[in-house]
Amino acid sequence: MKKTAEITRFLLFGRQPGARRFRAVLTLLPVPLLLLRPPLGALAGCGLFLLIAAGMMLLAAGVRNRHHRIGLLLTALATTGALLLFFSRRDRLGAIGIGLWVILLGAGLLPELRRKGVASQERILSILEAVLPLLLGATFFASAGGSFGLAAPFYALSLVILALRQW
């Protein structure tokens, strides 16, 4: 189980080319669904909730710190509970799920900010690269009450841009 947790952590936050391409492909998967069939795109956003919950459970299995493990398990339970609570409104859940994935992509860039010996201009660009996905994910949360079908091309374009950045 510990090895599975390490692989999950590597795939979600690793800086190696393989992990980055995995996240890029996962980011591109819902794009055709969003463009062609927005209701199916909303269901793809729901699937991100299940992926996040499963990842949290696997990470919790490999963590020795008791408080950290409990926090990860509670996050997984809250994610699964949100999936069940909002499932009748798949469009809202899809927007929130896509927002969570975008926030997760932004959070994966945060460790780069602690690098030593980086020029100030490069550090500012790194901060912007990390903060912009976080703000974009928050925008998806804010737009969850609107029409998913009308916003689907915006979601698709955002996911393509983020996937290209990961590649």
Side-chain angles (χ1 to χ4, degrees), residues 20-102:
R20 292 174 64 167
R21 288 194 176 102
F22 173 78
R23 287 192 303 269
V25 168
L26 216 68
T27 303
L28 286 174
L29 279 178
V31 170
L33 294 173
L34 285 168
L35 289 174
L36 301 174
R37 304 280 299 176
L40 291 178
L43 284 175
C46 297
L48 293 175
F49 268 85
L50 291 176
L51 284 174
I52 291 170
M56 292 294 174
M57 294 288 277
L58 291 173
L59 285 175
V63 172
R64 294 186 183 203
N65 184 344
R66 182 173 175 244
H67 296 294
H68 193 163
R69 185 178 331 128
I70 290 172
L72 286 170
L73 289 172
L74 288 176
T75 304
L77 287 174
T79 302
T80 307
L83 179 67
L84 296 175
L85 180 68
F86 288 115
F87 192 72
S88 62
R89 286 296 311 264
R90 287 183 293 278
D91 53 347
R92 179 175 294 168
L93 187 61
I96 294 171
I98 291 171
L100 274 176
W101 180 250
V102 171

Side-chain angles (χ1 to χ4, degrees), residues 105-167:
L105 289 176
L109 297 173
L110 292 177
E112 272 188 33
L113 300 178
R114 291 185 284 183
R115 286 188 307 170
K116 303 269 189 217
V118 177
S120 60
Q121 295 169 336
E122 191 175 334
R123 184 165 307 276
I124 290 171
L125 287 176
S126 296
I127 290 170
L128 288 175
E129 279 186 333
V131 170
L132 288 177
L134 298 175
L135 293 175
L136 185 62
T139 304
F140 289 160
F141 280 137
S143 69
S147 171
F148 190 85
L150 294 175
F154 172 67
Y155 295 149
L157 179 64
S158 301
L159 290 176
V160 167
I161 291 169
L162 288 170
L164 290 176
R165 198 284 177 213
Q166 289 292 320
W167 199 268

